[in-house]
Amino acid sequence: MRHIINLQVENQSGVLARIAGLFSARGFNIESLSVGKMDSEAASHMTLVVRGDDWIIEQVIKQLNKLIDVYRVTDVTSTDFVGRELVLVKVYCPPAKRGDISQLVQIFRAKVVDISNRSMTLELTGNEPKIEAFLETLQPFGIQEIARTGSIAMVRDSNGKM
Amino acid sequence: MRGAALVIQALQAEGVKALFGYPGGTVLDIFDEIYSSGLPFYLTRHEQGAVHAADGYARASGKVGMCIATSGPGATNLVTGIATAHMDSIPLVVLTGQVATSLIGNDAFQEVDICGITRSITKHNYLVRDIADLPQVLKSAFYIARSGRPGPVLIDLPKDIQQAETDEPYPDDIKLRSYRPTLRGNMQQLQKAAGLIDQSKKPVIFAGGGVVSSDAQNEIRLLSEILDAPVTTSLMGLGIFPETHSHALKMLGMHGTEYANYAVQEADLLIAVGVRFDDLVTGKVDKFAPQAQIIHIDIDPTSIRKNVQVTVPIVGDIRTVLQELNTLLKPRQNPQWMEQIKTWKQRHPLRYPQTDKVQPQYVIEQLAKLTDNRAIICTEVGQNQMWTAQFYNFHSSRSFLSSGGLGTMGYGFPAALGAQVAWPDKLVIDIAGDGSIQMNIQEMATAVLYDLPVKIIILNNHSLGMVRQWQSIFYDRRFSQTCLRRNKQCPPDCQQANGDCSAAYVPNFVKLAEAYGAHGFRIDHKDQVADVLQTAITTPGPVIVEISIDREENVYPMVPTGAPIHQMLRGMA
Ligand SMILES: Cc1ncc(C[n+]2csc(CCOP(=O)(O)OP(=O)(O)O)c2C)c(N)n1
């Protein structure tokens, strides 16, 4: 199963290497990892997407907790959470196809961020299924390049379905 | 105050009584402080010797061991020793010099990224880039090394940081927002455990190195007495439970006793304390303790459910947890189960065929007798280690020092030096093979010069015995590169049993001892064993006893890799 794990870590040199090293040394599979600053300089936030059965995920979480520089580990998968990823995608697009692609952009509420005689570059934010669906729909046009941030996630406080 | 002086202040504040190490360019400033500090310093002859000695000191004393080396090759020479300590959860603080911060990353002279190299073999490590961080780093390093599940912590200290000035005093408090080991066991889990124990008919206690780290041997003994339950230990747990006690099953696993292995396979409850279910202990893991529910007590949550399924996990400091658990239990008797255990012990004792050769098992038995089973025993790795584990009857924790997890040849002798530093008045013995002892033999100089009267007993089979044993059982006696008498004239397919091909001792360990200014003795005949060992033990100063043994002698019983632990090879006995 796919798990999304949030970490809060000390902003120390080597912390990223420590986490990456843990995954490679123990043979855990990491699907994506995103890192960013938190409100204070001293800490960073990371979101990991990991695949594995319950036994592996239990070990992953315990091993992460064991790292001295990691001070909070939350597996958000089973909670009500907001998960988002941003993708930039460059599709092959001669002027004649601009209309078709623009329509898709609207349907998915994506954005056009660059346009040339041969291509269009699009930006989309969403959860994983939405991004996958978007990319699949663009496939027939000819995707030239993709850059994805990896997921970030946050637990919801409301029970709402916003 | 300069960074280097702050280091010394930290060592003094932490009560460091012995420092092992080797100097070099990037630690000159620290060594300059050591010069006038009065700190007892032991200059080994190799950095590996220093780190193993610090480890032996830590294991024997229960305190944090401390060593120091220069950058580059000094640091890389520590790697095996750090990994050894890490695998066995031994508290060390390791200081390495580093090139100046302005040079880091430039492939400067004697620069290596030792933090990168040791990331997976330390509990934690630090590269100090700012003098302002140094006080907290030093304080945290000692705390992290000794608390929770202990382990080695490395501090990499660039030369300019050692020279930089700071007014910060050595702090009293640690500022670690994340690291808080759980000490007390969860009460609900404890009650569940007590319930399981109450229902069990065939309980077995399985205790390991964690019990040593937490100094809980009395609590284990009490548990065994309350429950009338037998106790087996891992290699790391030898000595926790007096091995002549009627409840003692001695060691479990690959070269454990038959009765320990049978008891675990028959048990309906395994109380596992401070163990990690290493593959040498479990054998084929899905056939391990097939009838048993398992209660697993450990300070490290990652040890629990890593290798085996557990019915009741309890995370906490072992001593604290056992103290609470023991109060929840009703005293009981298990006459039938203990009768069964007794029968196994009588029917399948540790044994070896009696011959008139000098047998290694006999040597260890004699040594046990002469020392009343009370010496501090270190071992190297291989057959020597297993015979010692089997035939010496350990009586207290911290009296058996051996590289269990990493299996480091060359560990025993320098570790014995460290143990001797910790306990100047105790008898410290290293049981060695002729292969292993040559991996750190240079420390003879350290032993002699610092008057550390360690007795080295070399069981000389002219072979890398344990590897040869596997070749003779599983590789059709193709003795590839395990004969230590092999020379240019030897036929490639030599299968000579006893290397009678040449009578030469290379090296001659007796003369080697003498070359270092120590005493050397040799034993060639069985009737010399007791007398010569007695002389060796009573001779002041470091001593080497070289004992010629039969290279065909193997360690039994033995569980072949991949077999369940009750299927043991018995050898000739
Ligand atoms: C540093 C190191 N290298 C290699 C090994 C693999 N190994 C395990 S036991 C052994 C043989 C040890 O020979 P010796 O020290 O003579 O002891 P014996 O088994 O003969 O008692 C070897 C080579 C090891 N454990 N450690």
Side-chain angles (χ1 to χ4, degrees):
Chain A
M1 196 185 146
R2 185 170 177 271
H3 282 249
I4 301 183
I5 297 170
N6 273 351
L7 305 180
Q8 288 175 20
V9 305
E10 301 289 349
N11 200 359
Q12 296 285 342
S13 72
V15 60
L16 191 58
R18 238 179 262 285
I19 289 168
L22 191 154
F23 277 77
S24 64
R26 301 207 175 253
F28 302 141
N29 272 322
I30 205 167
E31 190 167 289
S32 74
L33 166 64
S34 72
V35 190
K37 272 199 303 199
M38 302 227 310
D39 50 356
S40 96
E41 280 290 314
S44 300
H45 175 280
M46 295 190 191
T47 304
L48 291 164
V49 180
V50 193
R51 273 183 200 280
D53 57 24
D54 290 353
W55 179 82
I56 291 185
I57 300 298
E58 178 182 331
Q59 271 296 317
V60 167
I61 290 172
K62 284 174 170 178
Q63 293 286 355
L64 287 167
N65 263 313
K66 195 167 157 179
L67 296 177
I68 310 274
D69 288 334
V70 172
Y71 66 91
R72 183 182 287 169
V73 183
T74 337
D75 183 354
V76 301
T77 319
S78 59
T79 66
D80 190 9
F81 70 97
V82 193
R84 289 291 181 271
E85 184 174 5
L86 185 146
V87 64
L88 292 174
V89 54
K90 191 181 284 176
V91 275
Y92 176 68
C93 180
K97 297 269 179 187
R98 280 181 192 159
D100 295 352
I101 292 181
S102 298
Q103 236 178 352
L104 286 176
V105 164
Q106 272 185 2
I107 293 169
F108 279 91
R109 287 197 243 167
K111 262 194 251 167
V112 178
V113 291
D114 189 44
I115 194 158
S116 77
N117 278 340
R118 309 182 51 251
S119 71
M120 254 173 136
T121 302
L122 314 174
E123 174 194 318
L124 178 73
T125 306
N127 58 16
E128 211 217 359
K130 181 171 173 186
I131 292 199
E132 294 296 340
F134 184 55
L135 294 176
E136 208 172 296
T137 324
L138 290 173
Q139 204 70 50
F141 294 92
I143 293 179
Q144 296 182 327
E145 207 179 326
I146 298 177
R148 295 172 69 157
T149 57
S151 285
I152 53 171
M154 202 168 271
V155 177
R156 284 184 204 268
D157 278 346
S158 78
N159 56 0
K161 294 273 172 272
M162 259 192 75
Chain B
M1 189 189 316
R2 294 187 333 144
L6 187 73
V7 169
I8 302 304
Q9 201 189 41
L11 304 195
Q12 280 159 343
E14 296 294 335
V16 172
K17 297 278 185 314
L19 189 50
F20 303 88
Y22 210 86
T26 55
V27 281
L28 275 164
D29 291 274
I30 296 177
F31 275 79
D32 191 61
E33 294 290 340
I34 288 170
Y35 189 72
S36 46
S37 69
L39 267 175
F41 193 95
Y42 296 86
L43 175 67
T44 55
R45 292 304 181 265
H46 189 300
E47 287 87 353
Q48 189 184 354
V51 59
H52 287 327
D55 170 313
Y57 177 89
R59 290 190 208 221
S61 69
K63 300 189 190 120
V64 176
M66 173 93 216
C67 67
I68 175 167
T70 193
S71 63
T76 52
N77 272 349
L78 296 173
V79 169
T80 302
I82 295 171
T84 303
H86 185 65
M87 286 292 269
D88 289 345
S89 308
I90 305 305
L92 295 185
V93 171
V94 177
L95 268 179
T96 49
Q98 180 55 283
V99 301
T101 45
S102 58
L103 293 175
I104 290 179
N106 291 2
D107 296 329
F109 179 63
Q110 296 194 327
E111 177 188 357
V112 295
D113 172 18
I114 196 64
C115 280
I117 291 171
T118 60
R119 195 162 285 133
S120 63
I121 54 166
T122 47
K123 184 169 173 185
H124 196 54
N125 62 22
Y126 295 96
L127 166 61
V128 184
R129 286 173 176 276
D130 184 344
I131 182 73
D133 297 335
L134 185 59
Q136 263 304 319
V137 165
L138 287 162
K139 184 83 190 172
S140 311
F142 278 93
Y143 175 67
I144 291 170
R146 69 171 167 255
S147 58
R149 177 177 180 173
V153 178
L154 180 140
I155 305 174
D156 200 21
L157 213 51
K159 191 170 169 108
D160 54 323
I161 304 289
Q162 298 169 38
Q163 292 167 338
E165 288 287 337
T166 171
D167 318 320
E168 287 284 318
Y170 190 62
D172 293 324
D173 298 317
I174 302 137
K175 290 197 208 108
L176 279 171
R177 92 170 105 180
S178 49
Y179 175 74
R180 244 168 258 110
T182 310
L183 295 182
R184 292 194 56 184
N186 177 301
M187 204 16 114
Q188 263 179 328
Q189 294 294 88
L190 278 162
Q191 266 152 357
K192 257 199 232 167
L196 267 189
I197 291 172
D198 227 24
Q199 285 157 24
S200 72
K201 304 230 151 32
K202 302 176 189 172
V204 172
I205 299 166
F206 170 33
V211 176
V212 180
S213 314
S214 137
D215 284 317
Q217 81 219 49
N218 293 338
E219 285 71 18
I220 286 286
R221 187 156 178 175
L222 191 61
L223 180 67
S224 161
E225 279 160 10
I226 296 176
L227 297 184
D228 190 26
V231 181
T232 182
T233 71
S234 63
L235 183 78
M236 295 305 297
L238 288 180
I240 290 166
F241 193 76
E243 296 197 298
T244 47
H245 193 290
S246 60
H247 285 177
L249 296 174
K250 296 185 56 112
M251 187 168 72
L252 182 67
M254 178 178 279
H255 290 299
T257 60
E258 286 183 64
Y259 44 91
N261 287 8
Y262 295 156
V264 165
Q265 294 301 77
E266 249 335 273
D268 65 354
L269 177 68
L270 196 60
I271 308 174
V273 193
V275 294
R276 56 189 178 84
F277 295 99
D278 179 292
D279 47 312
L280 296 195
V281 155
T282 61
K284 190 175 171 52
V285 73
D286 43 2
K287 295 263 172 65
F288 176 76
Q291 336 244 9
Q293 300 204 283
I294 298 180
I295 297 170
H296 191 177
I297 307 173
D298 204 280
I299 185 103
D300 179 1
T302 66
S303 289
I304 291 175
R305 275 207 288 267
K306 186 174 61 184
N307 300 336
V308 298
Q309 280 304 328
V310 171
T311 323
V312 182
I314 304 178
V315 174
D317 168 58
I318 288 166
R319 188 147 80 138
T320 316
V321 170
L322 286 182
Q323 280 170 349
E324 290 197 81
L325 183 63
N326 283 343
T327 62
L328 299 178
L329 299 174
K330 297 194 258 326
R332 54 184 272 185
Q333 300 289 313
N334 309 302
Q336 267 186 335
W337 178 228
M338 287 315 295
E339 194 52 41
Q340 168 72 74
I341 302 267
K342 201 167 137 196
T343 313
W344 279 325
K345 283 173 94 164
Q346 281 163 353
R347 263 199 219 142
H348 311 286
L350 283 169
R351 65 188 137 183
Y352 55 97
Q354 301 292 322
T355 69
D356 47 18
K357 292 186 181 159
V358 188
Q359 291 165 289
Q361 302 91 332
Y362 174 80
V363 172
I364 307 293
E365 279 178 346
Q366 289 302 307
L367 190 69
K369 214 193 251 173
L370 289 170
T371 58
D372 192 24
N373 284 309
R374 297 297 194 281
I376 296 182
I377 304 285
C378 305
T379 74
E380 302 295 338
V381 168
Q383 295 178 316
N384 59 83
Q385 181 183 33
M386 292 302 135
W387 285 318
T388 308
Q390 292 179 333
F391 289 93
Y392 203 86
N393 286 309
F394 294 93
H395 275 73
S396 60
S397 50
R398 307 194 180 282
S399 68
F400 174 73
L401 278 51
S402 191
S403 169
L406 199 66
T408 308
M409 292 171 68
Y411 167 80
F413 176 37
L417 298 179
Q420 190 79 75
V421 168
W423 299 106
D425 299 329
K426 289 196 185 176
L427 175 61
V428 180
I429 299 173
D430 177 41
I431 313 248
D434 51 321
S436 299
I437 194 63
Q438 294 186 68
M439 289 216 174
N440 274 313
I441 191 70
Q442 76 285 346
E443 302 308 333
M444 280 302 288
T446 316
V448 169
L449 290 170
Y450 291 94
D451 194 18
L452 299 169
V454 167
K455 317 300 175 205
I456 303 174
I457 296 175
I458 303 176
L459 301 171
N460 190 344
N461 49 14
H462 318 291
S463 316
L464 301 175
M466 187 54 98
V467 182
R468 187 181 192 278
Q469 170 166 349
W470 282 64
Q471 291 171 336
S472 60
I473 303 174
F474 305 112
Y475 288 83
D476 203 19
R477 295 182 67 84
R478 288 156 60 88
F479 297 126
S480 181
Q481 311 306 328
T482 46
C483 176
L484 293 178
R485 281 187 164 174
R486 188 162 188 87
N487 61 50
K488 266 163 60 182
Q489 276 79 47
C490 293
D493 57 350
C494 173
Q495 293 199 345
Q496 282 228 28
N498 272 308
D500 306 326
C501 45
S502 100
Y505 285 89
V506 183
N508 179 327
F509 286 108
V510 173
K511 283 196 181 154
L512 190 74
E514 286 160 2
Y516 277 109
H519 291 278
F521 301 96
R522 175 169 294 126
I523 295 176
D524 291 309
H525 302 289
K526 191 167 185 176
D527 56 15
Q528 300 172 292
V529 173
D531 287 349
V532 176
L533 285 181
Q534 177 63 32
T535 312
I537 288 169
T538 47
T539 302
V543 171
I544 290 181
V545 186
E546 176 172 22
I547 308 181
S548 281
I549 63 166
D550 186 338
R551 56 165 47 170
E552 287 291 301
E553 201 60 68
N554 284 340
V555 181
Y556 291 109
M558 172 181 190
V559 180
T561 313
I565 58 171
H566 57 279
Q567 288 173 15
M568 304 190 86
L569 305 179
R570 286 204 186 127
M572 311 286 250

